[in-house]
Amino acid sequence: RKSHVYAVHKISNTDSFVLYFPALVITDGPQDKSGLADEVGSEDDLYNEFRSSSNRFGHPGGGGEQLAINELISDGSVCAEALWDHVTMDDQELGFKAGDVIEVVDATNKEWWWGRVLDSEGWFPASFVRLRVNQDEPMEEYLAHLDGASEGGGASMGDPLGPGLPCKEQMRANVINEIMSTERDYIKHLKDICEGYIKQCRKRTDMFTEEQLRTIFGNIDELYRFQKKFLKALEKKFNKDHPHLSEIGSCFLEHQTNFQIYSEYCNNHPNACVQLSKLMKIKKYVFFFEACRLLQKMIDISLDGFLLTPVQKICKYPLQLAELLKYTNPQHRDYKDVEAALNAMKNVARLINERKRRLENIDKIAQWQSSIEDWEGEDILSRSSDLIFSGDLTKISQPQGKGQQRMFFLFDHQLVFCKKDLLRRDILYYKGRLDMDQMQVVDVEDGKDKDFNVSVKNALKLCSPVGEEVHLLCAKKPEQKQRWLRAFADEREQVQHDLETGFTITEVQKKQAMLNASKSHPTGKPKAVTRPYYDFLLRQKHPTLPTSLPQQQVIMLAEPKRKTSNFWHNIGRLTPFKK
């Protein structure tokens, strides 16, 4: 990279720095542009060199590490531990949950690897896993060990971790120090974003509206204020002289509810990436954001990388606390608090993930409704935001006791049933819905039912509390009936959970989802749900293999989907099943 491209000049006798780019950051000091034309060249040259620079939008890595990984894979001695859930969006992708062990078959591509979990094979993002050698040693430690051995320097991995302390206590001290260090670094990142970017952006009303800034930066200023308070609490509990004696578990417990403000930021982050990617196509915004970075003396990471930091941070807390608990003796005064803190932060991350998944699913639900023929009544999103379960059941009608095959869809608060088209099995006709808030589920024994005067098998009833409304449903197999009984129980639990956590879908979000669905093709095969945010992150953040522990690049929030039945050949991708 040519040094004159990012030239920064300090004005004599002032503390202000001026970056010589066409889109200047407004500073508090005078500006001196003498000799600029001779130093930096044309705007087009600067822009092209900036955009083509391999170090600006990517991470270092690859090279020797990639060769070592491929060599180990060829020997069959490498597996991967999933750090994050991966939702399969394509038949060629491999779905897994955090903690799953993946056999890495091919790592030739630095961004997408081919792997195997049990009987399933497919592509998966390399950044979602941590490699391990012989299913035990983390890959980054193994590579560091190789480098140390080849250079003949440094302590071996079997050497004592420090003088005067047992191994486990020294490891606990190391984890405590890492937590404190990463927390201070994180505060620095948040401060840089608020003071280096947001403050400067607000001065340029000709370039940014308040709505744009809110979309790009979300509530990051609120995160900054909270994290400063949290760091102060950690500092009070931190024992500088004897880190292993620090008792920081209580800090997480005291602030666990405050961490839920990350939900708003994480939910907004996809919109921030889309808005930012649009601006980065315009030269003056590219130069402006680089000017902000240099004036704030920030590390060499692009703005989208800084904005990803809070998403990574809230997911890293459970990992750090798990490591801390691992090296904390049960007799330690901090053990119970650390154990409780780990569970608390897992719940925070789970709640954020669940809210994110639910918000993403409303578009799919709206598209599903738009594919149903003869829809009547209010939109499904008026009361529901999640599909719990679906499948075929026989609905017994009174008074004839005649059975009708229907496709049932259990959402939170309501059960929708449809009729399949006789010729085109991919078309459904709306037939009705039941209010689950007004229904009780009753398990029915095999034999003759008194209310309907028919013999039934694998049956259950939905009854109103006053007994005026009764619906008899029959499954084909006993296991299908049991699965439906569990689904009805799950629906009630979710409704209660939403009530306790205050989860809601705003009217604006509902209207936008229905508007998006109305733009889909009214006939023919529905359009597949695209992944602009997911693909954007992969394109921007995974040009090479990370040299350290991969961090989560995008929150993948739904459970990995299983293969859909033949019936769902056309609309399976539009339906958020949880099986």
Side-chain angles (χ1 to χ4, degrees), residues 6-8 19 21 289-298:
Y6 302 116
V8 177
L19 179 65
F21 277 149
F289 287 132
E290 179 65 358
C292 291
R293 186 187 71 82
L294 290 173
L295 288 171
Q296 189 67 16
K297 300 179 181 179
M298 299 163 72

Side-chain angles (χ1 to χ4, degrees), residues 462-478:
L462 300 179
C463 309
S464 62
V466 294
E468 296 178 355
E469 187 178 356
V470 181
H471 301 273
L472 182 61
L473 308 175
C474 298
K476 291 182 179 180
K477 298 179 180 180

Side-chain angles (χ1 to χ4, degrees), residues 80-87 94-102 117 128-130 315 318-319 346 349-350 353 552 556-560:
E81 175 191 357
L83 294 175
W84 325 105
D85 291 357
H86 178 233
V87 177
L94 180 67
F96 49 74
K97 292 184 178 181
D100 285 353
V101 176
I102 304 160
V117 176
F128 276 51
V129 302
R130 168 166 51 180
C315 297
L319 300 178
K346 281 182 178 180
R350 191 178 297 114
N353 284 349
Q552 185 181 24
M556 307 301 288
L557 301 160
E559 295 179 358

Side-chain angles (χ1 to χ4, degrees), residues 192-210:
D192 286 342
I193 294 171
C194 292
E195 298 185 3
Y197 284 110
I198 299 178
K199 184 178 179 180
Q200 295 293 351
C201 288
R202 288 207 167 108
K203 294 179 181 179
R204 295 303 302 264
T205 55
D206 58 316
M207 294 177 64
F208 303 96
T209 65
E210 277 299 321

